[in-house]
Amino acid sequence: MGVRLAATKLHIPPSAARRPPTFLPFVAVLLLCSASYLLGVWQHGGFASPSDSPAVSIATAVACTTTAAPATRKKAPYARARTRSASPSQPSRALDFSAHHAAAADASLASAAASSGSSSSPASPRRYRYPACPVRYSEYTPCEDVERSLRYPRERLVYRERHCPASERERLRCLVPAPRGYRTPFPWPASRDVAWFANVPHKELTVEKAVQNWIRVDGDKLRFPGGGTMFPNGADAYIDDIAKIIPLLDGSIRTALDTGCGVASWGAYLLSRDILAMSFAPRDSHEAQVQFALERGVPAMIGVLASNRLTYPARAFDMAHCSRCLIPWQLYDGLYLIEVDRVLRSGGYWILSGPPINWKKYWKGWERTKEDLNAEQQAIEAVARSLCWTKVKEAGDIAVWQKPYNHVACKASRKAAAKSPPFCSGKNPDAAWYDKMEACITPLPEVSGASDVAGGTVKKWPQRLTAVPPRVSRGAIRGVTAKSFAQDTELWRRRVRHYKSVVSQFEQKGRYRNVLDMNARLGGFAAALAAAGDPLWVMNMVPTVGNTTTLGAIYERGLIGSYQDWCEGMSTYPRTYDLIHADSVFALYKNRCEMDRILLEMDRILRPRGTVIIRDDVDMLVKVKSVADGMRWDSQIVDHEDGPLVREKILLVVKKYWTAQDQDQ
């Protein structure tokens, strides 16, 4: 009776209620659940040995929190990874997106393998590893390759300009090795005066410039006494002499350009005066000038005044300098001095020391005649006057000219006398990526009065770092207002705080000195680091495929940078940056060139144990990571600063230490 009542209540037919109970369905369900569980554990590495832990390999895990899985006691490259609410008995495991993104990642790797001549099949692209280049490429500079340069004209040093690989056959698809014995550079400020010889194993300058106090070998080290051809008493004393002529200490001069920089001692000693110099020199017979500079922790790039404009915007520098730089300023209708005029800010200074200045004292030592040197100086003076510059003073070995604050009087004088050179018409004054120099004056922006500063007045340093740049306030940058600029500044302060919370290396004093921002936009990343007082400098690169007008605003903030196409190599030596920041670079270059071309260039210029921070959409980052895992990088994806629900993520990378002697391991 009880059974019937239960059957009626549960609506089970009486016939079913009278059947004897059976446990077979329950056993079957239990077996199926157990098999499913065991299969899942096996697929997620549950039967792996401890050495295969994802915390050790840092393989394809994409964390949805800002933490790496604490599966073992061994630390991942980012020791400050945080857990949200994982209990000690159930450690948080990083989620694996690879199943959802495998097709895109595999296609990317297959393309990389095919373009590099790999025999790996598309069915197994994850096993591809980029090989080490032969040791002869340890100082390879793809766009200033010595052998390739010989195909180009010697006239006006055109062969020393940028000439990048023209075909895939010329491009390296391998990892540039560090030289044998490479060691982590000395931290700043010690690096200003000393470097490891094994890192830049060149003695040419120690012999050629021995009496000029440039550089000397001291056992396993290189010493930089701070001397120069025209400042044998040291760069400090030389800069003090310049400060007697123009104001170097009141913050009105912040950005400087050093042409033909040698080992960049002038720029190195300006840093203590809060002046940031962009130093450049060609890759020439003075082997590794720029490499020495960067090894010292001083901003520098490979460059030359030849036929192309310098890769900087108009009105970028407060001061330009040449100390026996051997540039023929008076030739080619003053073309090179006209280019300096283009990049000088309104009211900026040009400093010249060495031939022909003070020729009456040095003409015998320079092995030139009085007449020749006097004619050269008069020709330079004439070019300076044609640019409407004013000679401030010539004192001893130093001469200084000043560019006008506007072109009101200069244009009036040309109308009256039809002077040469003329003003340029029509060409974008900021265009400077393979754009040819022209023998015409870049006109300054119009002003309402003869006493106004063309282009606007910049604040003194350090106020100019966060002040609204004149280019922004004047509406010269499309889509950027004073309000959006302030918002961008605050955004990057927050982002840098987040970086410091997830990248433990920021805690190590002196860990980062040379920093590269591959897509600088308005320079917010660099400004946030500078405002924090970190002892580093940032090279702000503005991609030529984006909004290039922002580079001028970066200089108005008192920062430095250059234009760059990341489908090509950068004009720098290998192993010259401690930290590389890449915000949306891969999204920007999607379908423009192969992803691995950019990643291999990043690896070339990154120092062993250096760090990379890449921001992008999670789908893009998974593709990037799938390629980067074959480049001797340890990498990990962490959350956006606003949490796990934001699609944009951050890929953190540490480059492994290895040298030419390890390349076959």
Side-chain angles (χ1 to χ4, degrees):
M1 183 68 176
V3 171
R4 285 184 177 277
L5 287 173
T8 303
K9 187 174 182 179
L10 297 175
H11 306 288
I12 301 175
S15 60
R18 288 192 297 270
R19 292 175 185 172
T22 176
F23 297 101
L24 289 177
F26 299 103
V27 173
V29 170
L30 181 63
L31 290 174
L32 285 172
C33 289
S34 300
S36 176
Y37 171 77
L38 294 173
L39 179 63
V41 170
W42 177 78
Q43 287 179 334
H44 286 279
F47 301 130
S49 65
S51 63
D52 295 327
S53 166
V56 176
S57 65
I58 316 177
T60 57
V62 180
C64 284
T65 68
T66 55
T67 178
T72 72
R73 294 183 180 180
K74 184 173 181 178
K75 286 187 178 181
Y78 307 95
R80 278 211 220 160
R82 299 172 294 175
T83 58
R84 292 194 178 270
S85 58
S87 67
S89 60
Q90 293 181 339
S92 159
R93 176 182 287 272
L95 300 185
D96 189 353
F97 280 46
S98 58
H100 304 283
H101 302 277
D106 289 357
S108 176
L109 268 180
S111 173
S115 62
S116 59
S118 170
S119 60
S120 300
S121 67
S124 58
R126 294 181 186 276
R127 291 195 297 270
Y128 183 75
R129 292 292 182 267
Y130 289 89
C133 304
V135 68
R136 67 178 181 276
Y137 290 108
S138 65
E139 294 182 354
Y140 178 66
T141 52
C143 294
E144 291 84 12
D145 181 66
V146 175
E147 293 184 8
R148 188 182 307 112
S149 70
L150 299 179
R151 306 175 196 168
Y152 296 89
R154 296 292 184 108
E155 183 183 5
R156 286 175 46 188
L157 301 181
V158 168
Y159 74 109
R160 285 180 177 159
E161 291 185 315
R162 286 176 58 88
H163 301 292
C164 300
S167 66
E168 288 300 318
R169 292 183 62 187
E170 288 187 284
R171 291 190 176 93
L172 292 185
R173 294 285 183 174
C174 52
L175 306 176
V176 174
R180 290 177 174 85
Y182 179 89
R183 301 172 70 172
T184 300
F186 289 91
W188 184 267
S191 64
R192 187 192 70 176
D193 303 322
V194 62
W196 297 111
F197 177 79
N199 293 8
V200 193
H202 292 283
K203 294 184 178 181
E204 295 88 344
L205 283 176
T206 66
V207 177
E208 185 175 344
K209 303 293 182 180
V211 299
Q212 296 171 8
N213 233 11
W214 278 30
I215 182 174
R216 58 185 174 85
V217 177
D218 180 15
D220 61 352
K221 300 179 185 68
L222 294 164
R223 302 282 181 184
F224 302 92
T229 306
M230 294 310 300
F231 37 99
N233 295 324
D236 255 335
Y238 175 75
I239 293 170
D240 287 342
D241 288 339
I242 295 174
K244 295 173 184 175
I245 305 174
I246 59 176
L248 293 183
L249 303 177
D250 66 352
S252 60
I253 295 176
R254 165 64 179 173
T255 56
L257 178 68
D258 193 10
T259 56
C261 64
V263 295
S265 287
W266 188 71
Y269 283 83
L270 280 173
L271 288 166
S272 63
R273 295 160 172 85
D274 276 337
I275 297 175
L276 192 59
M278 171 72 82
S279 301
F280 75 82
R283 179 163 187 171
D284 60 6
S285 56
H286 291 169
E287 191 70 45
Q289 295 177 82
V290 167
Q291 193 174 15
F292 282 128
L294 288 159
E295 192 70 18
R296 299 176 71 182
V298 180
M301 292 182 68
I302 301 172
V304 65
L305 273 168
S307 68
N308 294 328
R309 283 180 169 183
L310 299 173
T311 58
Y312 318 119
R315 309 190 322 275
F317 298 98
D318 304 315
M319 171 173 64
H321 172 258
C322 162
S323 176
R324 199 170 186 178
C325 59
L326 304 180
I327 295 173
W329 301 110
Q330 77 284 8
L331 299 184
Y332 315 118
D333 298 319
L335 190 65
Y336 299 147
L337 210 51
I338 290 172
E339 175 62 3
V340 170
D341 177 79
R342 182 185 71 85
V343 299
L344 268 183
R345 194 177 309 287
S346 305
Y349 299 97
W350 182 57
I351 302 162
L352 176 64
S353 65
I357 303 303
N358 207 5
W359 59 266
K360 293 179 181 178
K361 178 179 179 181
Y362 295 110
W363 67 276
K364 288 184 178 179
W366 291 337
E367 298 180 349
R368 293 174 61 184
T369 66
K370 295 179 182 180
E371 293 75 18
D372 180 34
L373 287 163
N374 182 51
E376 181 180 339
Q377 177 154 355
Q378 294 307 312
I380 291 174
E381 301 266 13
V383 174
R385 286 193 299 271
S386 74
L387 298 172
C388 300
W389 291 5
T390 301
K391 190 171 185 179
V392 178
K393 189 174 184 180
E394 182 175 336
D397 299 344
I398 300 170
V400 179
W401 285 263
Q402 186 175 23
K403 178 179 177 175
Y405 286 100
N406 58 62
H407 277 156
V408 173
C410 191
K411 289 181 177 178
S413 68
R414 268 168 169 64
K415 287 181 180 179
K419 293 182 179 178
S420 181
F423 280 94
C424 304
S425 61
K427 187 168 185 178
N428 179 3
D430 292 335
W433 189 248
Y434 297 112
D435 292 86
K436 297 298 179 183
M437 289 187 284
E438 295 179 355
C440 57
I441 302 173
T442 300
L444 290 171
E446 295 295 329
V447 294
S448 56
S451 60
D452 293 343
V453 177
T457 304
V458 296
K459 301 284 187 180
K460 291 186 177 181
W461 181 263
Q463 288 76 22
R464 69 190 280 185
L465 179 66
T466 53
V468 178
R471 278 174 167 85
V472 173
S473 60
R474 293 164 61 90
I477 303 178
R478 185 180 67 256
V480 181
T481 64
K483 182 179 179 180
S484 64
F485 172 80
Q487 291 171 339
D488 183 78
T489 299
E490 182 54 39
L491 172 67
W492 280 105
R493 284 176 178 166
R494 188 159 56 88
R495 287 180 168 179
V496 166
R497 285 196 297 270
H498 181 62
Y499 291 160
K500 291 184 176 182
S501 73
V502 295
V503 180
S504 62
Q505 285 88 337
F506 273 109
E507 286 186 344
Q508 303 170 18
K509 186 176 180 180
R511 176 65 180 80
Y512 301 127
R513 174 62 184 171
N514 302 0
V515 180
L516 175 69
D517 193 355
M518 296 177 67
N519 185 16
R521 304 178 190 269
L522 291 167
F525 173 68
L529 290 173
D534 296 333
L536 51 77
W537 56 268
V538 180
M539 187 68 76
N540 295 278
M541 309 304 279
V542 172
T544 56
V545 299
N547 183 2
T548 59
T549 59
T550 61
L551 187 55
I554 288 172
Y555 274 94
E556 288 176 340
R557 301 186 76 170
L559 305 170
I560 60 172
S562 174
Y563 299 115
Q564 174 66 34
D565 181 354
W566 287 113
C567 290
E568 300 180 1
M570 182 179 169
S571 291
T572 190
Y573 282 84
R575 303 170 302 282
T576 47
Y577 286 92
D578 304 299
L579 170 64
I580 297 177
H581 181 252
D583 176 21
S584 304
V585 169
F586 293 95
L588 184 64
Y589 280 90
K590 183 179 180 181
N591 301 325
R592 295 181 185 273
C593 57
E594 299 91 338
M595 180 184 293
D596 74 330
R597 188 188 300 184
I598 300 175
L599 286 167
L600 287 169
E601 176 63 5
M602 293 168 69
D603 182 81
R604 183 185 73 88
I605 62 183
L606 184 66
R607 287 172 170 166
R609 301 194 181 103
T611 302
V612 182
I613 301 173
I614 304 175
R615 302 180 69 94
D616 228 309
D617 182 86
V618 62
D619 288 343
M620 182 63 72
L621 283 190
V622 171
K623 296 176 187 178
V624 171
K625 191 178 191 305
S626 66
V627 178
D629 284 345
M631 295 173 54
R632 307 196 194 195
W633 287 7
D634 284 331
S635 63
Q636 172 187 358
I637 297 179
V638 301
D639 277 332
H640 188 276
E641 59 272 5
D642 290 335
L645 300 182
V646 181
R647 281 194 57 84
E648 184 178 79
K649 304 293 181 185
I650 303 168
L651 177 63
L652 304 177
V653 171
V654 167
K655 179 178 177 178
K656 296 178 182 178
Y657 175 87
W658 63 280
T659 67
Q661 65 197 42
D662 308 317
Q663 62 182 343
D664 296 326
Q665 297 179 6

